[in-house]
Amino acid sequence: MDLPNFADLVALDAEHVMQTYGRAPVAFVRGEGTVLYDSDGRRYLDFLSGLAVTSLGHAHPAVADAIAEQARTLLHVSNLYYNALQPQVAERLDALIGGGGRVFFCNSGAEANECAIKLARRYGQTHGGPERFHVISAYGSFHGRTLTTLAATGQPQKQETFQPLPVGFHQVAFGDVDALAAAMDERVCAVLLEPVQGEGGVQPAPPGYLEAVRALCDEREALLVMDEVQTGLGRTGAWFGFQHSGVRPDVVAMAKALGNGMPIGACWARAEVAAAFRPGDHATTFGGQPLAAAAARATLAVMEAEDVPARAAGAGKRLVDALREVPGVAGVRGAGLLIAAELDGLEAKPVADECLRRGLVCNAVTATALRLAPPLLVSDDEIAEAVTILAGVLADALDAARGGAGEEAR
Ligand SMILES: *Cc1c(COP(=O)(O)O)cnc(C)c1O
């Protein structure tokens, strides 16, 4: 299909697409590894990976081949029939999580959490009675945009517009064990947490927090549900973010990186918990269909062969070390290759915009912090190039902030 030029594309979008996004002024049309090209042929380093999605980089040949071959073989079958690929993907995910579980396949992160919440309610109902359906999550969390996952998302400003939301959702401060203990009565069926809050600003759980939450869940008979949609599959330097702690969750939601760009999500649960779902309790038309499952199988095979958690840990350390040396960066936090650079008295949005103009894709995850989440196979040269671009942008921004030569004067 012919591509319209960029100005025409913007006009077409404004006229025909619901305006739910504040889009940056660029259209990417092609990618390879860490590199993206826009509609004018300009090259960018992708240090966002579609928000932790393309963890193996763009157009990974093994994933592309698997998709092409599956598309020629069988795109879709109903979940009313056995699917030759789903159990294979489920088997690998179960092994990576630690074993002893079952997997439900869906199409997105919100759907993975939706499944987790329905399962937790079902389990709570059968183990604690009809009143046990409440879910506690954390302020600053992000769990999705469906009404239920929005109710679980601890960002009141995102919820206000869509009241009334489903009932039974409560938030407590992330990292505050006492607040959680106070909120956990016999109505609570689950505690839902991200091991590192992604959209909330790349905030890792404080040391010991997940262990304390696990102990509380055991004591009060609630399930521990980890939202690993952003952190899962190697991103943080472990296969799953919870694996940096000693805890074993009851339920794990994942999506983003699972198909390296193919839409697929999954909800894993301990077998005894998974058994709370009976045939007919939950279903999806597309979830885990052959095309998506083939992409996931190929993605996981490459991830295991490349040992992406180790790659993420190594590259993450090099990126963090380099960022700490950059004037204008006040601090760096995160895990593996999910990193936030806190800026020194600068606003993050204009810095991210200028990075984009100079060929580096990253985003403002808070008003004062940039998020960096490159592919897990990112090279040292690409890290060096990205840090050089960012350092240049920050140097100019600091100059301008000090009242030196403004942008216009250059
Ligand atoms: C992105 C994200 C989601 C939502 O995933 P979608 O695929 O956009 O529905 C849920 N939880 C976390 C932690 C995420 O980062």
Side-chain angles (χ1 to χ4, degrees):
M1 197 168 79
D2 280 347
L3 293 168
N5 74 43
F6 185 67
D8 291 348
L9 193 117
V10 171
L12 208 58
D13 186 278
E15 201 175 331
H16 300 290
V17 178
M18 286 196 198
Q19 298 296 297
T20 62
Y21 301 100
R23 296 192 202 270
V26 58
F28 298 117
V29 296
R30 191 162 63 82
E32 189 181 352
T34 306
V35 175
L36 280 170
Y37 296 92
D38 72 11
S39 46
D40 293 325
R42 280 191 308 181
R43 173 183 175 275
Y44 299 77
L45 282 176
D46 184 2
F47 268 51
L48 210 49
S49 312
L51 280 172
V53 169
T54 50
S55 281
L56 299 179
H58 296 284
H60 191 284
V63 181
D65 287 349
I67 291 171
E69 193 187 322
Q70 191 61 44
R72 281 191 295 266
T73 307
L74 183 69
L75 273 186
H76 181 83
V77 287
S78 163
N79 277 314
L80 295 174
Y81 305 95
Y82 281 94
N83 172 319
L85 293 150
Q86 269 184 31
Q88 299 179 38
V89 178
E91 189 266 331
R92 289 324 303 149
L93 288 177
D94 187 50
L96 298 176
I97 288 174
R102 303 281 186 273
V103 177
F104 178 88
F105 289 101
C106 53
N107 307 289
S108 68
E111 284 184 34
N113 283 323
E114 188 88 20
C115 175
I117 292 164
K118 283 180 74 176
L119 180 63
R121 282 191 171 194
R122 195 79 170 89
Y123 185 85
Q125 199 178 53
T126 43
H127 289 72
E131 297 303 312
R132 187 173 292 173
F133 65 87
H134 289 241
V135 173
I136 300 183
S137 53
Y139 283 113
S141 64
F142 182 79
H143 300 298
R145 297 289 198 152
T146 64
L147 287 173
T148 296
T149 54
L150 184 60
T153 290
Q155 301 185 43
Q157 71 286 3
K158 284 198 169 74
Q159 298 176 333
E160 247 1 272
T161 336
F162 295 101
Q163 298 290 356
L165 292 171
V167 298
F169 292 88
H170 311 275
Q171 278 89 47
V172 295
F174 187 55
D176 186 338
V177 180
D178 294 338
L180 182 63
M184 280 183 74
D185 56 33
E186 64 289 341
R187 299 173 307 163
V188 174
C189 67
V191 176
L192 169 63
L193 294 171
E194 297 155 87
V196 179
Q197 289 191 335
E199 301 310 297
V202 188
Q203 303 288 355
Y209 179 58
L210 294 182
E211 288 84 347
V213 175
R214 175 75 268 181
L216 267 176
C217 286
D218 289 343
E219 185 191 306
R220 313 275 167 98
E221 294 179 20
L223 298 178
L224 175 56
V225 180
M226 298 302 314
D227 179 348
E228 295 265 6
V229 170
Q230 188 158 156
T231 49
L233 300 163
R235 174 60 53 191
T236 67
W239 281 108
F240 291 90
F242 73 81
Q243 290 167 340
H244 295 287
S245 74
V247 310
R248 296 268 289 131
D250 301 294
V251 181
V252 179
M254 69 204 97
K256 289 193 164 97
L258 182 52
N260 203 48
M262 177 66 75
I264 179 168
C267 176
W268 174 97
R270 222 161 30 78
E272 189 241 334
V273 174
F277 268 165
R278 316 301 308 177
D281 276 350
H282 197 47
T284 161
T285 297
F286 289 124
Q289 47 104 288
L291 185 67
R297 184 176 65 168
T299 300
L300 290 174
V302 176
M303 285 182 159
E304 292 197 72
E306 297 278 356
D307 192 4
V308 287
R311 297 282 295 258
K317 184 171 185 315
R318 289 189 286 280
L319 178 54
V320 167
D321 287 348
L323 287 170
R324 287 197 206 283
E325 301 298 315
V326 173
V329 172
V332 185
R333 59 177 179 266
L337 281 172
L338 181 56
I339 292 169
E342 191 66 40
L343 303 182
D344 196 0
L346 294 168
E347 273 184 64
K349 178 76 170 61
V351 169
D353 290 347
E354 185 58 23
C355 284
L356 185 66
R357 279 192 284 276
R358 299 190 196 183
L360 173 64
V361 180
C362 60
N363 85 330
V365 71
T366 68
T368 56
L370 294 177
R371 171 170 38 190
L372 300 167
L376 308 183
L377 305 181
V378 65
S379 72
D380 288 354
D381 286 350
E382 288 163 343
I383 289 175
E385 189 185 344
V387 171
T388 301
I389 295 172
L390 175 61
V393 171
L394 289 176
D396 291 349
L398 288 171
D399 267 2
R402 285 192 204 99
E407 290 286 295
E408 311 75 30
R410 249 174 278 272

